[in-house]
Structure formats: structure tokens, C-alpha cells
Amino acid sequence: MNFTKPIAFLLILGFFINATYIADTKVELVEYENYDDGHVIKAYLITPINLPRLEQQAVIYSHGMGTWEEKKQEGVGLGIELAKKKYVVLYPDARNGLEYPTRTGASDLHWGARFLRQNTNFNIQKIGCMGSSYGNLAVFDLV
């Protein structure tokens, strides 16, 4: 199934209204701080609609080589599919890739996990982390 074009349109629309609803999920642009160096990280928070406040599970997805903007459709598309299965998903603009001289991606993911636990309306008990291509390096460093 190719869902990149409709998602791209809805994401552009969502920038103007701060949240977009797609297939029983809510996609919103959020920001959190990496308290190790003060960098503010943009992220998409993708959540299921009408999820009871019980123990939820979350996934942080780290993009591969290239910019977050270039990989947005891939990351949000995967996030929507996971949210349909009742996961809370954070897709951050983690600083992983050759353009960053130090490997700060793991730190960005760590503070993303803290953001999920402290600043969302969910009772998140378990957080998984996954990445594609170069994004796996940040996940590996986090472990």
C-alpha cells in the first residue's frame, strides 16, 4: 500500500492546525529539549485515538541517513501503522548521521523517552526503540 502522498498532504495541512487525524490516530508536531546540551528537538507524536488510560507501550523511531524532513513520510507512515496497533509513537529529528561530528542521536532518543513518560497524557510503562539504516546506530548507542 502506498500511503505517502496522502500523508504528505495531511502533514502539510497539519502544520497549520498543529494536529492531523489519520485512520483513528492523531499526528502532532511537538518539541522537547535535550538537557545534555540544550538542543531543542522537533518530533512527531503519533497516538491512537480513544486509547484508555491503562498501561501503554511506546516506540521511538529513529530515521536513517538523510534529513528528518526527507524521511518524514516514512517515519510518520510507520508511526500511524503502529498507532493503529495501540502504540504511542515518537518520531524525533534525532541528530544521527554524518552531518553531526559527535554521536548525539542516542542522547536525543534518551530525552525523547523522558518526554514520553513526563509530558504526554498516557501512562507509558514500556518504551521500545527502533531505527532504520543509520538511525540504528543511535539506537545501538542508547543500549
Side-chain angles (χ1 to χ4, degrees):
M1 170 180 359
N2 184 353
F3 45 76
T4 57
K5 288 184 182 180
I7 289 174
F9 171 75
L10 291 170
L11 289 176
I12 291 168
L13 178 64
F15 278 119
F16 298 106
I17 59 174
N18 198 32
T20 302
Y21 295 87
I22 304 170
D24 293 328
T25 64
K26 179 180 179 183
V27 180
E28 63 183 310
L29 188 62
V30 297
E31 293 182 342
Y32 63 91
E33 184 175 351
N34 178 327
Y35 289 100
D36 292 337
D37 61 11
H39 182 76
V40 175
I41 296 121
K42 292 180 186 178
Y44 283 104
L45 180 63
I46 304 137
T47 56
I49 297 174
N50 299 326
L51 186 64
R53 189 171 161 74
L54 302 169
E55 293 183 1
Q56 282 92 31
Q57 299 172 59
V59 173
I60 300 173
Y61 176 66
S62 181
H63 67 83
M65 194 65 161
T67 68
W68 180 67
E69 288 294 322
E70 294 169 346
K71 304 290 184 174
K72 176 171 39 180
Q73 294 173 356
E74 168 193 321
V76 173
L78 176 65
I80 289 169
E81 291 303 314
L82 288 170
K84 286 181 189 177
K85 297 180 183 336
K86 308 300 182 203
Y87 287 91
V88 174
V89 180
L90 186 69
Y91 175 53
D93 186 11
R95 295 172 288 171
N96 45 344
L98 298 175
E99 63 268 22
Y100 298 102
T102 59
R103 289 168 42 179
T104 55
S107 180
D108 291 348
L109 298 181
H110 165 79
W111 289 105
R114 301 275 306 238
F115 169 81
L116 283 173
R117 287 199 180 221
Q118 297 172 354
N119 299 311
T120 63
N121 294 324
F122 297 97
N123 181 20
I124 294 176
Q125 298 298 310
K126 297 178 182 176
I127 300 175
C129 199
M130 61 188 282
S132 70
S133 188
Y134 209 87
N136 281 316
L137 185 60
V139 173
F140 180 73
D141 287 345
L142 185 64
V143 176

